[in-house]
């Protein structure tokens, strides 16, 4: 998203050379501080031509410090007053004396505040050692990850997950598996953007979580090797430990720099589930009425999840000429079920008590699943930058599969039945973007661009009754589905911003999108004949519409570290994947799930007022947000005609509102000993009353949902300790109050993670110990009610675990001055994400 601070008072630039020989010094460190302070305001390194430029500096007096191995440090004072300052050629004098090693002891900040986003540095999170990206997201303020890996932002699952400023093909269908396989060590930082501007896709009513991959551009080569073990501390105790190993390397040679990473993860976790369901003669309520009970179902389960996979990523950047850069990057996952398989063993016991008849039952159901989740992403981008103009063109291709094969064994008394179900899913997509930027004055910016996306998916599912040896007896026609989806989107946008009187910044933007969707769905009738699910209403197969998405921002700098911002955006959540796929899942024979092909897009209007105050050692961000969603998608439950089976699908509710406050504080205490990050969200949540009908195949089911109101909140605390220069620790704690859902509430939750890290051999070797979910308390607990039922359910997909990770760093980052290859002219202001987009 566009940072309003970019229209600040000015910037500083210059060129760093050897004072005597005149040679260019690339990769010299450049740091800016306010005069009289030692806290850095900003910093960078010189490019291949020795040039540097730091923008976004407020009016005031500053000190610039330039340093490089083997040279004396150079400092220079300068003043910003409404325009850029060019310090020209700055000569460093070579240090001919042998210097003693100087050690700097301190903790880098794990969190950075910007008005449009919050940035979290993964390297500073001890818990990231040997972990997956999913594990790290659990400790990010405003972000929640439930037991199934579902990610939500500010209590909403309508959130987009991007990689390096691009969607990268991560959808609600595949991102849980992708992020679980992606090592946290490949991530440099995580950006949480709750109100993106019109430049970016409006998809995801809650905002964007952007994962910025590591791609350090330093001289020479360097890398690391990591290996670790993790072990579940909950029953059953006979499972072996999980393991992870990875190799990472980065290099730079004149006009070319690149990176590569390959790793393997094998994880094992234990979980469990419990359901108490009461079938009622009337409508259930928050408090169970025992006089309405007709039958009672108790279901308990134990689960063991095993998953392994290879994850690899690589990229190259070529500085072709002055202002011209070509980039190639991509990542991929290998998940062959014969080698890197994902397995799930689930044992459930059922006790059904019929209080008005004689239908009491007691049985068990065992599930053994094997899955494969291969996929990848490839991107090519070209950037041209000259004077006040910049053009970037990029193309991206995504390919992800999600396949699962499951066998069920159900035993009731002396009778045993066998079933299987297979699900084959493929998702592909392309994106072509062109972004143009023009800075007519130092205080203004005009951006315009075009974005084309095309996504298509195919899903096929079937199920059978089997003999004991696995051969088929008969196909279960009701569970056959062949589903295809094709979407296309053409988008154009324009944004303009300016800064007035060195205090007031304004930005407005407008994005127009023409969206098209084509659906095909086939099912089988009782005879096995394939039928078109849209035959009765063919107008639902094709959808096309044009929508406008405006954005507006205004901020005022009061000086002395005080800043206030007000912003507004309109966003959309278009149903996708399992939400609209009519495939029926019967892994729990009493609880069937399927998608609703009738879902419509949900639109939201988002308004935020944010205040930011900075001190030398403390930062405070406080905001008020209001979100009004029309047609919000919610999961709904209803009892089947047999009165014993619950079905789950999705429905557009009329309106959903949230009004809340968010406070985030960052404090450095006791010198460098403790760095504390505290975040709190409190909000009022309302879901309007719904009277609607669900259409599934030939069924028409009326659904009546009462209005829901609740006041909810969450608190997170992350404490990082520096006991010595080589020994650090971390405690992460979170608490979340009950929340409202369409037909009930989700119970409160809490958890604590702890970690320790010690470095050896001048920090070349690091050993990290982590205990996740110290209290063994992570679980999802829901109380739901509706026509004819009241239910309490608890699910635990993970348990308390301990991990040990060893990391060895290698390489030579500091080339001798005489070893430099020939330099090519031009500067490269590309950001850490490698996409040339300073907004991310």
């Amino acid at each position: 998203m566009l940072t309003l601070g970019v229209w600040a008072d000015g910037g500083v630039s210059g060129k760093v050379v050897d004072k005597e020989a005149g040679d260019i010094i690339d990769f010299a460190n450049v740091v800016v501080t306010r005069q009289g302070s030692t806290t850095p305001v900003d910093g960078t390194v010189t490019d291949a031509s020795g040039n540097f430029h730091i923008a976004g500096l407020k009016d005031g007096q500053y000190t610039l410090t330039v340093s490089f191995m083997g040279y004396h440090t150079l400092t220079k004072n300068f003043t910003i007053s409404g325009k850029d300052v060019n310090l020209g050629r700055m000569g460093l004098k070579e240090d001919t004396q042998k210097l003693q090693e100087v050690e700097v002891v301190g903790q880098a900040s794990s969190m950075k505040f910007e008005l449009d986003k919050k940035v979290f540095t993964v390297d500073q999170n001890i818990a990231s050692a040997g972990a997956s990206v999913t594990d790290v997201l659990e400790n990010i303020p405003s972000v929640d990850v439930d037991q199934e890996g579902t990610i939500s932002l500010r209590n909403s699952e309508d959130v987009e997950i991007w990689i390096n400023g691009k969607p990268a093909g991560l959808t609600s269908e595949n991102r849980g598996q992708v992020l679980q396989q992606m090592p946290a060590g490949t991530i440099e930082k995580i950006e949480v953007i709750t109100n993106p501007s019109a430049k970016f896709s409006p998809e995801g009513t809650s905002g964007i979580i952007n994962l910025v991959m590591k791609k350090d551009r330093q001289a020479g080569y360097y890398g690391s090797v990591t290996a670790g073990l993790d072990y579940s501390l909950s029953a059953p105790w006979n499972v072996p430990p999980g393991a992870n190993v990875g190799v990472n390397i980065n290099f730079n040679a004149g006009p070319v720099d690149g990176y590569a990473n390959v790793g393997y993860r094998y994880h094992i976790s234990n979980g469990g589930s419990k359901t108490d369901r009461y079938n009622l003669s009337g409508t259930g309520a928050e408090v169970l009425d025992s006089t309405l009970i007709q039958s009672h179902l108790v279901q308990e389960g134990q689960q063991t999840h095993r998953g392994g996979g290879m994850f690899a990523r690589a990229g190259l950047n070529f500085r072709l000429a002055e202002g011209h850069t070509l980039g190639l990057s991509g990542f991929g996952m290998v998940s062959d079920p014969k080698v890197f398989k994902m397995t799930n063993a689930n044992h459930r016991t059922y006790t059904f008590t019929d209080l008005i008849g004689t239908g009491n039952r007691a049985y068990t159901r065992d599930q053994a699943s094997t899955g494969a989740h291969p996929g990848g992403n490839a991107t090519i981008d070209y950037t041209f930058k000259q004077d006040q103009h910049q053009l970037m063109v990029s193309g991206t291709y995504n390919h992800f599969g999600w396949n699962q094969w499951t066998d069920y064994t159900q035993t009731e008394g002396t009778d045993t039945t066998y079933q299987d179900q297979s699900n084959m899913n493929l998702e592909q997509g392309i994106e072509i973007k062109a972004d143009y930027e023009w800075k007519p004055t130092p205080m203004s910016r005009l951006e315009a661009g075009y974005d084309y996306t095309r996504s298509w998916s195919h899903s096929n599912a079937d199920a059978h009754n089997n003999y004991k040896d696995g051969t088929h007896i008969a196909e279960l026609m009701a569970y056959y589905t062949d589903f295809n989806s094709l979407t296309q989107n053409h988008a154009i946008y324009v944004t303009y911003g300016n800064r007035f009187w060195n205090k007031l910044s304004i930005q407005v933007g407008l994005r127009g999108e023409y969206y098209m969707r084509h659906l095909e769905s086939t099912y089988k009738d009782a005879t096995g004949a394939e039928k078109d699910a849209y035959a009765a209403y063919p107008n639902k197969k094709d959808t096309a519409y044009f929508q406008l998405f405006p954005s507006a921002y205004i901020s005022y700098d009061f000086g002395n570290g005080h800043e206030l911002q007000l912003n507004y955006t309109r966003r959309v959540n278009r149903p996708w994947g399992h939400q609209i796929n009519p495939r029926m899942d019967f892994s729990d024979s009493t609880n069937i799930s399927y998608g609703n092909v009738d879902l419509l897009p949900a639109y939201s209007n988002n308004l935020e007022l944010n205040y930011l105050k900075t001190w030398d050692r403390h930062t405070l961000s406080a905001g008020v947000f209001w979100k009004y969603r029309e047609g919000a998608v919610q999961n709904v439950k209803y009892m089947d005609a047999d009165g014993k089976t619950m079905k789950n699908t999705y429905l557009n509710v009329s309106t959903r509102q949230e009004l809340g406050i968010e406070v985030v504080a960052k404090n450095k205490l006791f010198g460098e000993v403790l760095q504390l990050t505290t975040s709190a969200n409190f909000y009022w949540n309302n879901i309007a009353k719904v009277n609607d009908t669900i259409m599934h195949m030939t069924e028409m089911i009326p659904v009546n949902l009462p209005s829901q109101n609740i006041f909810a909140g969450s608190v997170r605390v992350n404490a990082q300790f520096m006991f010595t220069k080589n020994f650090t620790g971390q405690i992460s704690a979170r608490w979340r109050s009950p929340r409202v859902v369409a037909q009930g509430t989700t119970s409160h939750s809490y958890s604590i993670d702890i970690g320790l890290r010690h470095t050896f051999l001048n920090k070349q070797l690091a050993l990290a110990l982590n205990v996740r979910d110290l209290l063994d308390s992570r679980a999802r607990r829901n109380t739901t009610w509706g026509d004819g039922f009241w239910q309490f359910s608890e699910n635990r997909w993970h348990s308390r675990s301990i991990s040990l990770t060893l990391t060895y760093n290698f390489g030579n980052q500091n080339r001798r001055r005489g070893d430099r290859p020939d330099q090519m002219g031009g500067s490269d202001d590309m950001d850490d994400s490698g996409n040339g987009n300073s907004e991310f």
Side-chain angles (χ1 to χ4, degrees):
M1 177 180 170
L2 189 59
T3 304
L4 291 174
V6 76
W7 304 295
D9 300 341
V12 61
S13 59
K15 189 181 189 76
V16 179
V17 298
D18 185 292
K19 187 171 183 179
E20 296 180 0
D23 292 343
I24 291 168
I25 299 180
D26 55 348
F27 296 98
N29 292 311
V30 183
V31 177
V32 172
T33 59
R34 285 192 177 272
Q35 290 186 25
S37 173
T38 59
T39 302
V41 175
D42 207 340
T44 187
V45 295
T46 56
D47 63 16
S49 300
N51 298 314
F52 68 88
H53 179 251
I54 298 175
L57 299 178
K58 314 285 191 224
D59 284 358
Q61 296 180 327
Y62 296 89
T63 298
L64 184 99
T65 303
V66 183
S67 59
F68 190 71
M69 182 69 71
Y71 289 85
H72 288 287
T73 298
L74 174 67
T75 61
K76 206 162 190 176
N77 294 329
F78 65 97
T79 301
I80 294 292
S81 59
K83 61 180 181 180
D84 285 354
V85 174
N86 191 332
L87 299 178
R89 290 171 67 90
M90 305 179 66
L92 298 187
K93 184 177 179 180
E94 190 170 3
D95 188 354
T96 58
Q97 298 180 2
K98 185 176 181 180
L99 301 178
Q100 297 295 321
E101 181 182 10
V102 178
E103 293 183 320
V104 179
V105 179
Q107 296 188 79
S109 174
S110 61
M111 180 175 179
K112 179 181 177 183
F113 289 85
E114 297 181 16
L115 278 177
D116 61 340
K117 61 177 175 277
K118 297 179 180 69
V119 183
F120 303 88
T121 305
V122 174
D123 277 346
Q124 302 305 315
N125 192 329
I126 296 175
S128 67
S132 68
V133 174
T134 300
D135 297 324
V136 175
L137 285 172
E138 290 178 346
N139 291 308
I140 300 296
S142 303
V143 179
D144 287 301
V145 183
D146 71 10
Q147 296 298 304
E148 288 84 3
T150 303
I151 299 168
S152 59
L153 177 62
R154 285 183 177 173
N155 193 38
S156 173
E157 297 175 11
D158 303 337
V159 58
E160 287 290 289
I161 309 295
W162 285 8
I163 295 178
N164 289 342
K166 300 182 179 68
L170 299 187
T171 69
S172 57
E173 283 292 281
N174 61 45
R175 64 191 182 199
Q177 291 78 28
V178 173
L179 299 181
Q180 183 61 42
Q181 285 188 241
M182 186 182 294
T186 64
I187 303 295
E188 177 185 343
K189 57 188 178 182
I190 296 173
E191 298 173 336
V192 178
I193 312 166
T194 54
N195 239 7
S197 76
K199 178 175 181 178
F200 303 105
S201 168
E203 195 74 50
T205 57
S206 293
I208 298 170
I209 299 174
N210 183 43
L211 310 176
V212 180
M213 310 291 277
K214 285 183 178 177
K215 193 183 71 68
D216 300 322
R217 297 185 53 198
Q218 300 185 29
Y221 74 95
Y222 68 102
S224 62
V225 178
T226 301
L229 296 172
D230 63 85
Y231 183 72
S232 175
L233 296 176
S234 298
W237 308 103
N238 58 346
V239 296
N244 65 87
V245 62
V247 178
N248 178 68
I249 188 168
N250 299 261
F251 66 89
N252 180 277
V256 180
D257 61 77
Y259 59 90
N261 170 269
V262 61
Y264 170 73
R265 285 178 52 80
Y266 182 74
H267 58 90
I268 300 177
S269 62
N270 297 322
S273 64
K274 181 178 180 179
T275 299
D276 272 304
R277 182 188 306 156
Y278 295 87
N279 297 332
L280 309 175
S281 59
T283 300
E286 184 175 1
V287 179
L288 178 63
D289 186 348
S290 60
T291 63
L292 302 178
I293 299 175
Q294 292 186 313
S295 61
H296 180 206
L297 172 70
V298 177
Q299 177 258 308
E300 296 186 54
Q302 279 190 328
Q303 307 160 12
T304 300
H305 308 274
R306 304 169 185 251
M310 191 81 73
F311 182 88
R313 54 182 290 267
L316 286 172
N317 278 310
F318 304 90
R319 294 178 290 283
L320 305 175
E322 183 174 356
H324 298 264
T325 304
L326 178 67
L328 303 171
S329 61
F331 69 86
M333 301 183 303
V334 178
S335 188
D336 187 330
K338 297 179 182 177
V339 183
F340 308 118
K341 62 183 178 180
M342 319 286 286
T343 62
N344 172 33
N346 193 339
H347 174 76
R348 292 189 176 101
T349 62
Y350 297 82
T351 303
F352 181 81
T353 305
D354 190 343
L355 302 181
I356 62 174
T358 58
N360 295 350
R361 296 178 64 192
Y363 60 97
T364 63
R365 186 174 176 87
D366 287 279
Q367 170 185 327
S369 301
T370 300
H373 310 294
N377 164 282
T379 298
I380 179 171
D381 57 69
Y382 167 76
T383 303
F384 170 71
K385 186 174 183 179
Q386 185 179 58
D387 299 327
Q388 293 83 27
H389 304 273
Q390 176 173 294
L391 174 67
M392 178 180 175
V393 180
S394 65
T396 302
Y397 171 71
N398 307 298
H399 183 109
F400 291 96
W402 183 84
N403 306 316
Q404 183 167 302
W405 303 268
T406 306
D407 292 310
Y408 302 98
T409 302
Q410 185 163 309
T411 302
E412 183 172 0
T414 58
D415 296 330
T416 301
T417 59
Y418 305 91
Q419 296 174 318
D420 69 40
Q421 185 173 32
S422 64
N423 305 308
M424 311 294 289
N425 300 271
L426 176 63
E427 297 179 2
Q428 300 176 82
I430 60 172
E431 180 179 23
I432 300 173
K433 290 185 65 177
D435 296 301
Y436 169 72
E437 176 188 298
W438 175 41
K439 294 181 181 178
T441 70
M443 299 290 185
S444 61
R445 170 183 290 189
L446 176 68
E447 296 176 302
Y450 169 76
D451 186 2
Y452 171 72
T453 58
R454 179 186 176 95
S455 302
W456 57 100
S457 66
H458 175 241
S459 172
N460 181 271
D462 58 13
H464 302 85
N465 283 325
N466 296 332
Y467 293 104
K468 185 176 182 178
D469 63 2
T471 57
H472 298 330
I473 298 176
E475 183 176 4
L476 300 173
M477 304 305 177
Y479 296 96
Y480 172 87
T481 303
D482 191 85
F483 179 73
N484 291 277
S485 171
L486 170 65
T487 64
Q488 297 184 76
N489 192 41
H490 296 269
I492 57 174
Y493 74 89
V494 61
T495 67
Y496 175 76
N498 210 331
R499 186 174 177 90
F500 305 93
W501 313 300
N502 297 326
K503 296 291 183 181
L504 179 66
S505 296
I506 296 176
Q507 178 197 320
V508 293
L510 184 64
R511 184 184 184 93
E513 293 196 348
Y514 181 66
Y515 179 82
M516 296 168 286
R517 187 183 74 177
H518 175 74
L519 301 178
E520 294 179 357
S521 182
T522 303
Y523 69 97
K524 290 184 178 180
D525 63 15
T527 67
E530 294 191 9
K531 300 290 185 178
D532 183 359
Y534 293 100
Y537 30 91
N539 58 315
K540 296 182 180 293
K541 296 181 68 171
D542 293 285
T543 303
Y545 53 86
F546 178 79
Q547 288 283 336
L548 292 175
F549 299 94
S551 65
Y553 302 80
I554 181 170
S555 71
Y556 190 83
D557 184 1
F558 294 92
N560 298 319
H562 297 268
E563 195 158 359
L564 192 67
Q565 183 199 48
L566 178 67
N567 59 61
Y568 163 80
T569 61
R570 182 175 188 257
R571 300 186 63 78
V572 64
N573 175 42
R574 299 183 177 104
W576 175 259
H578 68 280
Q579 291 182 335
I580 58 175
N581 188 341
R583 178 186 68 86
M584 300 180 70
D585 180 11
F586 68 109
S587 55
D588 180 348
S589 60
T590 66
N591 196 13
I592 309 298
S593 300
Y594 65 92
N596 182 2
V597 297
D598 290 332
L599 284 183
L600 299 173
Y603 296 94
S604 72
N605 292 280
N606 307 318
L607 188 66
E608 289 191 27
L609 178 66
N610 294 311
Y611 168 75
L612 180 67
K613 169 60 179 173
T614 57
W615 298 268
D616 282 345
R617 303 181 63 81
H618 308 281
T619 304
L620 174 67
S621 171
V624 179
F625 61 89
W626 175 71
K627 185 180 299 180
Y628 182 84
R629 282 177 279 186
E630 298 176 287
V633 177
Q634 291 284 294
N635 180 264
V636 295
K637 307 175 187 296
Y638 65 92
M639 296 304 297
D640 200 13
D642 63 7
K644 300 177 182 179
T645 304
M646 176 170 284
K647 290 190 175 179
N648 297 262
T649 189
Y650 298 88
L651 189 68
N652 292 104
V653 300
S654 53
T655 61
R656 178 167 184 165
Q657 296 186 70
E658 290 179 12
L659 176 64
I661 60 174
E662 181 180 60
V663 179
V664 183
K666 184 180 67 176
N667 308 94
K668 285 189 176 181
L669 306 173
F670 313 113
E672 295 291 336
V673 174
L674 173 62
Q675 181 171 282
L676 195 65
T677 301
T678 307
S679 65
N681 280 271
F682 297 98
Y683 49 86
W684 168 76
N685 198 334
N686 166 262
I687 301 177
K689 182 179 180 180
V690 176
N691 294 300
D692 205 342
T693 301
I694 297 174
M695 300 180 64
H696 180 64
M697 305 303 179
T698 58
E699 291 183 286
M700 295 185 65
I701 305 100
V703 175
N704 301 302
L705 306 180
S707 62
Q708 290 276 81
N709 290 276
I710 197 170
F711 182 78
S714 63
V715 178
R716 272 192 176 90
V717 178
N718 182 278
Q720 294 177 293
F721 301 90
M722 176 167 282
F723 304 115
T724 70
K725 65 182 180 182
N726 294 320
F727 185 35
T728 57
Q730 178 175 297
I731 299 176
S732 299
R734 62 184 292 273
W735 171 85
R736 187 174 65 186
S737 73
R739 296 177 300 157
V740 65
V741 293
Q743 292 171 287
T745 59
T746 297
S747 301
H748 75 282
S749 62
Y750 59 93
S751 64
I752 296 177
D753 300 333
I754 61 173
L756 296 171
R757 177 165 56 192
H758 201 291
T759 60
F760 308 88
L761 303 177
N762 195 25
K763 298 190 176 181
Q764 282 188 292
L765 192 67
L767 184 65
L769 174 69
N770 282 285
V771 178
R772 294 189 175 89
D773 197 9
L774 178 67
L775 305 178
D776 206 16
S777 56
R778 281 196 175 113
R780 186 181 67 180
R781 302 175 181 91
N782 292 335
T783 301
T784 54
W785 56 87
D787 290 341
F789 75 92
W790 183 97
Q791 174 176 286
F792 171 81
S793 61
E794 176 179 321
N795 287 281
R796 297 169 52 84
W797 277 55
H798 304 283
S799 57
R800 178 170 47 210
S801 64
I802 185 171
S803 66
L804 191 66
T805 305
L806 187 66
T807 302
Y808 175 71
N809 300 301
F810 63 87
N812 175 22
Q813 302 181 34
N814 301 300
R815 296 172 299 164
R816 293 177 300 167
R817 186 164 45 87
D819 292 340
R820 287 193 189 93
D822 293 337
Q823 304 293 338
M824 295 184 68
S827 64
D828 184 359
D829 294 334
M830 293 183 71
D831 70 338
D832 292 332
S833 67
N835 60 15
N837 184 348
S838 61
E839 286 75 63
F840 269 98

